Amino acid sequence: MNKDTILVWFRNDLRVRDNEILWQALAKADKVVPVYVFDPRQFIALSDKTQKTGVIRAKFIVESVHDLKHSLQQLGADLLVASGYPEEILPTLAERYQVKEVYHHREVAKEETDVSSLVEEALWKKRLNLRHFIGHTLYHKEDLPFPIKDIPDAFATFRKKIERETAIRPMVATPTTIDVPEELERSTIPTLTALGYTDQQIALAQASPFKGGEHEGLKQLDAVLSDTSNHLIDEFPANDGTLLSPWIALGCLSPHTVYHTVKAAEADGLSKKIVQTIVFGLLWRDYFRFMFKKHGNKFFLANGFSNNFVATEKFSASKFDHWKNGKTTDATVNAIMHQLNTIGFIPYPARILAAHYLVNDLGINHLFGAAYFEDKLIDYSPASNYGNWAHVAGVGSSVKDNGVKDIKKIQALLDPDGAYVERWGNIKTAPTGLNI
């Protein structure tokens, strides 16, 4: 009996393991049409020096899409990759393959939800439904002990209440085979050149040691749990955690996969400190996503959650450029920005120090810094990025956590012996093939 066809729209969920939209589609339809769309709005230049998605993050995305396509092909399917506006492409594909519904994971930030709304409206005109799933958080929205509007703004209260009163769902099954329509069109993934990056930018991006994709994320998770050395773990200080955030941000690893794998490893003797670090990071990530759901665009306001006017100096382009390019009077900040510009990633203490310097030493509003991190960070996600910047600036949603309490302690965490500044302080540009 024919159970119809469902289109699965991948966005920031580039995996086949623990992917609810894929699992649900396979349970309810004979065939699925897996689709990924490169939306040009995500690759525009915001100025002559800043992009919506920088080349290093774009490289990580392209690699992750390649990996997803390969995984689907191994299961007998394929990934249909298109470039253009999802609200134009998805209804056309839905009509072409006579799909019953379109599935996707719901986002929380305005730009992403606006795109969902445009797709939903376009599908409704064709009498098709866009079904929303929640697959980016450790705790499911429907399982929370309070409605979204009543979620505690204080992180500590939020954490204690959900840990005490809410269970974490198990992972969903990984498919063993996937059927797609026989006439599913072949497609290719755009190159970085096709996405608008120059040869020079692309060459510089090769310095990043991070590679996108579910398989790479699983390899990194395995290295963390087995306490074995690899090029990434060797590169970064132990106090920075696990380096899993790039793959979690793009959905190459789900929070459930990370959590349940880590808890199983804890039972086999994994360090409790590592487990606590990972789970604590997942909880903060959940918190920011739920705060975005609750408060909407408040995180994008200059004053954030503060009732007082935030006094910042009139924007200075020269000061901001010095900060971006690592040419300030602070050697640690310069090293941080050199590393960010070279490999698209910096340790968490480095993010706090760079943000604190921009806001408090240079008097520049935190939103400019958050936008620059959006360009550069391979683990960028709207909620975590803008949420953390608001807290450093003193205008975040969890008042007790606002501001930087002990700058010297954070500096000591990042660079206790001066090796960090020595390593990154003198890099002017990102050389091709940097040995990392």
Side-chain angles (χ1 to χ4, degrees):
M1 180 178 176
N2 190 344
K3 292 194 297 182
D4 304 308
T5 299
I6 290 174
L7 189 153
V8 175
W9 175 26
F10 289 91
R11 298 178 80 185
N12 294 314
D13 45 13
L14 303 182
R15 62 183 184 272
V16 296
R17 293 162 181 79
D18 191 47
N19 192 323
E20 189 177 5
I21 57 172
L22 186 58
W23 178 67
Q24 290 277 13
L26 291 170
K28 294 185 169 76
D30 279 336
K31 299 181 187 298
V32 299
V33 179
V35 177
Y36 183 86
V37 182
F38 282 89
D39 188 336
R41 289 170 294 213
Q42 293 301 310
F43 298 94
I44 59 172
L46 300 178
S47 69
D48 60 341
K49 297 179 181 178
T50 305
Q51 294 169 289
K52 183 74 174 168
T53 301
V55 66
I56 301 176
R57 181 154 70 91
K59 172 179 170 289
F60 194 84
I61 292 170
V62 168
E63 291 167 346
S64 299
V65 175
H66 271 289
D67 189 72
L68 175 61
K69 188 176 180 70
H70 176 72
S71 293
L72 290 169
Q73 288 172 341
Q74 293 293 103
L75 295 171
D78 201 354
L79 180 67
L80 199 167
V81 180
S83 296
Y85 299 126
E87 64 270 23
E88 296 175 359
I89 289 171
L90 294 174
T92 300
L93 293 176
E95 198 167 47
R96 181 182 306 164
Y97 295 105
Q98 299 181 312
V99 307
K100 181 181 180 182
E101 284 186 302
V102 176
Y103 286 6
H104 87 132
H105 279 122
R106 186 187 295 275
E107 293 288 347
V108 294
K110 185 179 187 304
E111 289 181 359
E112 290 75 12
T113 55
D114 282 352
V115 172
S116 293
S117 296
L118 290 171
V119 170
E120 192 165 31
E121 290 170 9
L123 288 172
W124 267 118
K125 291 178 181 178
K126 296 184 179 293
R127 301 180 181 234
L128 288 170
N129 178 49
L130 176 65
R131 188 172 175 194
H132 306 272
F133 290 86
I134 300 163
H136 294 304
T137 51
L138 181 60
Y139 288 91
H140 198 284
K141 179 177 77 75
E142 303 302 327
D143 300 335
L144 295 178
F146 29 61
I148 293 293
K149 66 181 181 63
D150 295 329
I151 292 178
D153 286 345
F155 172 74
T157 306
F158 164 81
R159 177 189 175 190
K160 290 174 183 176
K161 197 165 181 63
I162 61 170
E163 286 183 328
R164 186 172 59 245
E165 301 181 26
T166 309
I168 295 172
R169 295 186 179 188
M171 293 182 286
V172 301
T174 301
T176 57
T177 184
I178 299 174
D179 291 328
V180 297
E182 291 182 7
E183 69 278 12
L184 185 70
E185 64 185 89
R186 293 175 179 267
S187 61
T188 58
I189 298 168
T191 63
L192 291 172
T193 301
L195 291 173
Y197 300 98
T198 66
D199 290 344
Q200 182 182 23
Q201 288 175 314
I202 295 168
L204 295 177
Q206 303 310 312
S208 178
F210 292 88
K211 185 176 181 181
E214 181 177 14
H215 287 93
E216 290 293 324
L218 290 169
K219 282 167 56 178
Q220 182 64 22
L221 178 59
D222 181 66
V224 170
L225 300 187
S226 59
D227 196 25
T228 57
S229 175
N230 72 8
H231 68 294
L232 289 179
I233 291 174
D234 291 345
E235 170 62 23
F236 292 90
N239 55 62
D240 186 53
T242 62
L243 309 177
L244 295 172
S245 59
W247 294 279
I248 296 174
L250 207 53
C252 303
L253 293 176
S254 77
H256 287 152
T257 293
V258 173
Y259 176 83
H260 289 297
T261 305
V262 165
K263 295 302 285 185
E266 182 182 25
D268 289 334
L270 180 66
S271 162
K272 288 190 179 295
K273 182 179 179 181
I274 292 177
V275 175
Q276 289 170 352
T277 297
I278 293 172
V279 174
F280 193 68
L282 292 174
L283 285 169
W284 265 109
R285 190 173 174 279
D286 271 21
Y287 168 79
F288 283 129
R289 289 189 72 90
F290 288 131
M291 286 295 102
F292 262 64
K293 187 70 176 173
K294 177 181 178 180
H295 293 292
N297 287 331
K298 210 162 186 181
F299 283 95
F300 296 107
L301 300 177
N303 287 348
F305 292 79
S306 174
N307 293 322
N308 303 315
F309 175 74
V310 178
T312 51
E313 184 180 289
K314 184 178 180 181
F315 179 73
S316 167
S318 62
K319 287 184 178 181
F320 189 54
D321 282 345
H322 286 160
W323 177 81
K324 289 192 303 182
N325 297 315
K327 295 181 179 179
T328 72
T329 58
D330 188 303
T332 301
V333 170
N334 293 346
I336 291 167
M337 301 310 291
H338 290 162
Q339 185 185 36
L340 174 63
N341 293 335
T342 301
I343 66 172
F345 186 90
I346 49 177
Y348 180 72
R351 302 181 192 207
I352 300 300
L353 293 175
H356 181 268
Y357 185 86
L358 182 74
V359 172
N360 293 283
D361 290 71
L362 300 184
I364 293 174
N365 189 273
H366 69 283
L367 293 179
F368 291 101
Y372 190 70
F373 273 24
E374 179 177 352
D375 174 348
K376 297 299 180 183
L377 283 174
I378 57 172
D379 62 350
Y380 167 77
S381 66
S384 293
N385 183 59
Y386 282 88
N388 273 309
W389 269 92
H391 279 303
V392 173
V395 297
S397 50
S398 183
V399 175
K400 187 178 179 181
D401 298 294
N402 278 335
V404 178
K405 307 297 191 296
D406 192 340
I407 197 75
K408 290 184 178 179
K409 180 180 179 180
I410 297 172
Q411 288 172 330
L413 280 173
L414 176 68
D415 197 14
D417 56 7
Y420 181 86
V421 169
E422 183 179 355
R423 169 71 189 278
W424 293 103
N426 295 318
I427 291 180
K428 304 303 180 187
T429 58
T432 303
L434 184 67
N435 182 23
I436 293 180

